[in-house]
Amino acid sequence: MQAATSIAIERTQSPKAKPPQDQLGFGVYFTDHMFVMDYTTEEGWHGSRIVPYQSIALDPAAKVFHYGQTVFEGLKAYRTEDGRILLFRPEANFARMNRSNERMNMPPIPIDMAMAAIKALTLADQDWIPTDAGNSLYIRPFMIATQATLGVQPSERYQFIIIMSPVGAYYPEGINPVKIFVESHYVRAMIGGVGEAKTAGNYAAGLRAQTAAKEQGYTQVLWLDGAAHKYIEEVGSMNVFFKIGGTVYTPALNGSILDGITRNSVIQMLKHWNIPVVERVLSIEEIYEAGRDGTLEEAFGTGTAAVISPVGELCWLGEKLVICGGETGELSKRLYGSLTGIQYGRETDRLQWMVEVK
Ligand code: COI
């Protein structure tokens, strides 16, 4: 079996042209290389390699296509002004990936192997890390079930792959406030289900509602709980926070909400700033009441892709609620400035979140 940190590297003979930095979008362009590693029940993880970015060949019976055994992660590499390469809390991503793996009955990834892989790939494609303000290199590790049999059982074979994409802002609005549709018909997840796992089906389950919301001019959907359709869970691609009467509230983790790494980081930053922050069950009705009585000051989403995205408007059961005059609030600005300050190496990394790649 291959040693944990030995990674075979095959370099591309035809490097791609890099896209203009002001036209990156999100997840549209991919770097020159990718990391691949295989798993079988007999051999465990083996065959670590970096190869030119390419299509993957899978048997049409591969279980991932039929029964959806797949998980993914998302994190970013940043280029600092003095030329260093920093990753934001990568071990937290792989710890979460292993919680997703556990829920989806997939084998864990050894975190030291995953860290070695991500560092080697980032170094191999370091010229792809954008330098313009707000841009970064999005890293997408994922795992798929590759065994080619149609019985509904956990796969005995998997592939772990990492691809990377230079990105700008996730939303077309950039860092301006987004408008969000509160979904009261479809649900995304139920307690006891797979809502907190970062698995493809959770995102597929959201697309119908997202399309309907877009048709009405809303960028994303805010999900309510699957049982009562009353309690706030998360937005399609981010966790959500509300500032009401000086206190910041976010839905408590309950098994059906993603345990966001940016969410956790924001909670720690608010605590450090002595801004009260409360994780609890939060109903959509109380957010609307706070909006009506003038105590709702701000709302924002958090995520690796979304960073800090202010929410300027909600629409629930036909009632629109404009938040913070549809503008970006002071707290959202402060959080965005501080978080990206740490990520791009401009601010002191008090909690040692950043991992340098060298
Ligand atoms: C992320 O923020 O990394 C996500 O996974 C959200 C989304 C693009 C699916």
Side-chain angles (χ1 to χ4, degrees):
M1 198 192 293
Q2 202 179 29
T5 47
S6 128
I7 300 172
I9 301 186
E10 181 199 341
R11 288 200 174 267
T12 182
Q13 295 306 309
S14 40
K16 298 181 244 184
K18 299 194 177 53
Q21 284 213 30
D22 58 349
Q23 288 165 37
L24 293 179
F26 183 85
V28 181
Y29 302 98
F30 296 93
T31 66
D32 283 323
H33 298 92
M34 61 199 235
F35 174 86
V36 186
M37 175 164 80
D38 305 299
Y39 177 92
T40 60
T41 40
E42 312 84 51
E43 283 185 90
W45 287 109
H46 61 279
S48 299
R49 57 203 183 270
I50 287 173
V51 293
Y53 188 95
Q54 59 194 270
S55 304
I56 50 177
L58 290 179
D59 192 294
K63 284 187 190 294
V64 62
F65 297 132
H66 306 275
Y67 309 126
Q69 254 193 313
T70 177
V71 304
F72 73 93
E73 271 301 325
L75 68 158
K76 284 177 174 171
Y78 307 84
R79 179 71 82 175
T80 66
E81 277 161 20
D82 59 6
R84 288 173 300 137
I85 302 168
L86 300 178
L87 300 171
F88 182 67
R89 306 187 69 183
E91 276 148 356
N93 284 91
F94 291 119
R96 183 173 64 187
M97 187 170 212
N98 279 340
R99 296 197 295 279
S100 301
N101 284 333
E102 161 72 24
R103 180 64 185 86
M104 302 306 289
N105 208 140
M106 296 165 69
I109 284 275
I111 293 189
D112 57 342
M113 270 186 167
M115 287 297 293
I118 212 159
K119 286 180 181 175
L121 185 62
T122 306
L123 278 180
D125 279 341
Q126 60 173 294
D127 290 351
W128 283 84
I129 306 173
T131 46
D132 281 11
N135 290 350
S136 55
L137 186 68
Y138 185 77
I139 305 174
R140 173 56 66 90
F142 64 103
M143 204 197 293
I144 50 175
T146 53
Q147 188 182 5
T149 55
L150 292 182
V152 182
Q153 295 105 20
S155 179
E156 294 179 354
R157 290 171 193 277
Y158 297 88
Q159 247 179 4
F160 171 72
I161 301 175
I162 308 175
I163 54 173
M164 306 198 296
S165 169
V167 297
Y170 183 68
Y171 295 119
E173 289 86 341
I175 52 170
N176 297 317
V178 289
K179 290 163 73 176
I180 305 243
F181 188 84
V182 183
E183 179 57 51
S184 42
H185 172 64
Y186 296 110
V187 298
R188 170 190 171 275
M190 292 283 285
I191 291 176
V194 297
E196 77 177 346
K198 218 157 163 54
T199 186
N202 282 330
Y203 296 82
L207 295 177
R208 180 72 258 149
Q210 184 179 309
T211 301
K214 270 221 168 91
E215 283 162 9
Q216 298 185 60
Y218 292 88
T219 312
Q220 285 273 315
V221 165
L222 173 60
W223 296 106
L224 301 179
D225 73 284
H229 298 205
K230 270 186 173 170
Y231 303 106
I232 293 173
E233 299 238 303
E234 66 181 72
V235 174
S237 52
M238 55 189 191
N239 295 111
V240 68
F241 289 73
F242 299 89
K243 182 163 175 251
I244 303 173
T247 297
V248 181
Y249 296 90
T250 192
L253 301 178
N254 60 1
S256 75
I257 298 174
L258 184 79
D259 184 357
I261 293 157
T262 314
R263 172 189 183 278
N264 172 276
S265 308
V266 160
I267 291 172
Q268 293 192 55
M269 289 165 73
L270 293 171
K271 287 185 176 160
H272 181 64
W273 294 342
N274 289 322
I275 296 176
V277 52
V278 177
E279 298 173 71
R280 68 161 169 80
V281 174
L282 210 56
S283 75
I284 184 68
E285 183 55 47
E286 66 180 295
I287 299 302
Y288 265 68
E289 269 166 27
R292 288 182 204 115
D293 70 21
T295 52
L296 175 60
E297 297 163 54
E298 275 184 52
F300 57 89
T302 63
T304 299
V307 195
I308 306 291
S309 285
V311 177
E313 183 180 315
L314 294 179
C315 179
W316 176 46
L317 300 174
E319 189 182 344
K320 291 186 179 176
L321 177 63
V322 174
I323 303 171
C324 197
E327 303 291 328
T328 302
E330 287 309 311
L331 183 61
S332 305
K333 282 188 202 155
R334 184 175 177 196
L335 283 165
Y336 182 87
S338 232
L339 182 65
T340 54
I342 295 168
Q343 291 170 332
Y344 288 89
R346 291 187 302 266
E347 277 195 24
T348 310
D349 179 17
R350 206 175 38 85
L351 293 169
Q352 293 174 346
W353 282 336
M354 307 312 294
V355 172
E356 186 170 351
V357 180
K358 48 187 177 187

